[in-house]
Amino acid sequence: EVRLVESGGGLVQPGGSLRLSCAASGFTFSMYSMDWVRQAPGKGLEWVSYINDRGTSTSYANSVKGRFTISRDNAKNTLYLQLNSLKTEDTAIYYCRYRGTRGQGTQVTVSS
């Protein structure tokens, strides 16, 4: 059974940073690309970032490019998202995603 468990969210002031983690199990993590997506209050799901299986190729939504960094540790079956220079509009539930499956998400709130 595929299981994705996100963590690392919290309340942070504008300009602050957070590091999200996603612990994956139930599939061969090192063989698959992964995504981060997010859902802001009252809005639909928004794709945030992609990383390939080996971590050698990444891409980002324009809204986060230059501020967020996706990475992975295949030895630990863990996906990461470093969030820097956070803005109030980054407030959302963040999910890691594998082939359409998401975890329970982790809440990121950016507020002064």
Side-chain angles (χ1 to χ4, degrees):
E1 177 190 2
V2 172
R3 189 161 187 241
L4 302 168
V5 180
E6 300 92 339
S7 61
L11 173 64
V12 62
Q13 292 186 340
S17 298
L18 286 172
R19 190 193 195 201
L20 308 184
S21 299
C22 169
S25 61
F27 64 103
T28 307
F29 180 74
S30 61
M31 292 181 64
Y32 294 96
S33 61
M34 297 287 295
D35 294 283
W36 284 96
V37 297
R38 67 185 181 184
Q39 188 163 24
K43 297 189 176 181
L45 204 62
E46 177 189 17
W47 171 78
V48 174
S49 185
Y50 157 93
I51 188 167
N52 72 343
D53 55 347
R54 292 173 295 166
T56 56
S57 177
T58 60
S59 60
Y60 299 91
N62 287 336
S63 57
V64 308
K65 198 173 295 183
R67 300 187 298 119
F68 291 8
T69 303
I70 191 171
S71 63
R72 65 192 295 162
D73 185 336
N74 285 345
K76 295 182 178 180
N77 287 353
T78 303
L79 178 72
Y80 302 100
L81 188 67
Q82 178 69 41
L83 287 62
N84 295 331
S85 302
L86 281 161
K87 305 175 181 180
T88 55
E89 53 263 44
D90 294 319
T91 294
I93 301 174
Y94 284 73
Y95 304 90
C96 60
R97 186 174 66 183
Y98 158 71
R99 289 189 158 190
T101 298
R102 289 180 277 149
Q104 85 292 343
T106 186
Q107 175 71 51
V108 172
T109 302
V110 185
S111 175
S112 55

